[in-house]
Amino acid sequence: MHYKEYKTILSAKNGLNLFRGCTHGCIYCDSRSDCYQINHTFEDIEIKANALEIFEQELQRRRKPCMIGTGAMTDPYIQLEPRLKITQGALELIDKYEFGVAIQTKSSRILRDLEVLKSINQKTKAVVEMTLTTYDEELCKILEPYVSTTKERFETLMTFKEAGIPTVVWLSPILPFINDSEENLRGILNYCIQAGVKGILCFGFGVTMRAGNREYFYEQLDKHFPGMKKKYQYAFGDNYVCNSPNNDRLMEIFIDTCQKHDILWRTEEVFGYLHEFEDKREQLSLF
């Protein structure tokens, strides 16, 4: 790991990224793409120096509370977090200044911060976003090798359900010819139903590839799925969007299941929920 000085840490749309780079090793990771200009080894985590001091100053300057989103570029619960406790500190500041949070991860390490997330959710809204891509545990360990397995993530979702904290699942990416089966989709959706998720973000059934992440992805295909790289090259060439040939059928199953179980599935509705700040303080004052 290494530190780098930053002047700001919150984006104009209240996005918070505390780290750059990742050590989860997901073979399809979009954050490896050249367009993000990570000019260091991806696994050499760049930590934003004085991140919590900068973050607190920016929260103080906000005219009114809003939802803070984190985890889009780098998982906030990378392997360094238990030692650094930067994500924990950020959540404590969000709680202190009574902002809301939508936090995205693939790690059961988030359970460490259950109590502060409960505190935030009592005053406004804390949403835990969990990525689920692969129902098969052994395949999951190949595609996402250094992170909690899908079953462990499901168990984490169940804990948040019991705690009354809303959850959203990212069903992305689904890799053509690898995990784009009806069995895989139904397994994940069954987890979502049991966990009572509020919504599921699905951008179609496929994967995106561009310079930077394509090369790493193909290296991993050669390592774990001999012959699959050629299949991808023949099917998709240099396309950015690589949709599964099963996309239409899988989308039918996805929409039908979500509608039957009152799960938000339209992308704009799920994002709308994630961005909507709720103030529960008046309700609390009545008790």
Side-chain angles (χ1 to χ4, degrees), residues 14-257:
N14 301 305
L16 173 68
N17 280 300
L18 298 165
F19 314 106
R20 280 171 65 83
C22 190
T23 47
H24 285 343
C26 303
I27 72 170
Y28 50 74
C29 181
D30 176 70
S31 293
R32 291 180 181 271
S33 299
D34 293 347
C35 62
Y36 298 119
Q37 300 179 331
I38 294 180
N39 56 2
H40 54 86
T41 302
F42 193 70
E43 290 77 13
D44 177 18
I45 306 299
E46 182 175 285
I47 301 167
K48 299 184 178 182
N50 302 315
L52 296 181
E53 291 87 343
I54 297 169
F55 183 44
E56 182 167 21
Q57 291 167 8
E58 292 186 314
L59 289 179
Q60 290 171 336
R61 287 197 293 266
R62 289 294 192 269
R63 293 184 178 179
K64 58 182 181 179
C66 61
M67 293 295 288
I68 304 295
T70 187
M73 276 291 293
T74 297
D75 196 308
Y77 292 97
I78 53 176
Q79 285 83 344
L80 288 170
E81 169 55 22
R83 175 159 57 94
L84 297 174
K85 298 184 179 180
I86 296 176
T87 297
Q88 183 181 58
L91 289 174
E92 289 169 350
L93 288 172
I94 289 169
D95 186 33
K96 175 182 177 180
Y97 291 99
E98 300 186 334
F99 281 67
V101 69
I103 185 166
Q104 183 181 351
T105 186
K106 294 178 183 173
S107 177
S108 61
R109 291 188 187 96
I110 192 172
L111 291 174
R112 179 202 63 187
D113 296 328
L114 176 61
E115 291 305 314
V116 68
L117 288 165
K118 285 168 66 174
S119 179
I120 294 169
N121 196 56
Q122 286 174 348
K123 290 175 282 190
T124 171
K125 185 167 71 180
V127 186
V128 171
E129 304 169 69
M130 190 69 74
T131 300
L132 302 180
T133 67
T134 309
Y135 183 69
D136 182 280
E137 289 289 282
E138 294 308 309
L139 181 58
C140 175
K141 292 172 185 176
I142 294 172
L143 304 183
E144 302 158 343
Y146 306 122
V147 70
S148 302
T149 68
T150 300
K151 185 178 180 182
E152 290 168 342
R153 292 177 231 172
F154 161 67
E155 291 167 349
T156 300
L157 288 171
M158 292 297 289
T159 299
F160 283 111
K161 177 184 179 181
E162 293 165 7
I165 294 175
T167 55
V168 164
V169 160
W170 287 67
L171 183 57
S172 174
I174 299 296
L175 305 181
F177 319 123
I178 296 176
N179 63 350
D180 59 338
S181 66
E182 184 174 325
E183 178 184 11
N184 182 58
L185 175 59
R186 291 192 184 279
I188 294 172
L189 291 175
N190 186 50
Y191 275 162
C192 293
I193 293 163
Q194 290 182 64
V197 303
K198 179 71 176 182
I200 304 175
L201 279 166
C202 175
F203 308 98
F205 293 88
V207 65
T208 58
M209 287 191 290
R210 49 190 162 191
N213 80 317
R214 178 183 280 110
E215 290 79 3
Y216 183 80
F217 181 60
Y218 281 168
E219 286 175 12
Q220 298 304 306
L221 289 185
D222 281 339
K223 180 179 178 181
H224 299 289
F225 307 96
M228 188 62 72
K229 173 182 171 180
K230 289 185 178 179
K231 194 168 185 177
Y232 265 74
Q233 290 173 325
Y234 178 78
F236 306 117
D238 292 329
N239 291 353
Y240 170 59
V241 178
C242 307
N243 279 334
S244 164
N246 305 325
N247 179 75
D248 292 348
R249 174 59 183 154
L250 295 177
M251 188 57 73
E252 287 177 6
I253 295 169
F254 169 68
I255 295 173
D256 182 61
T257 303

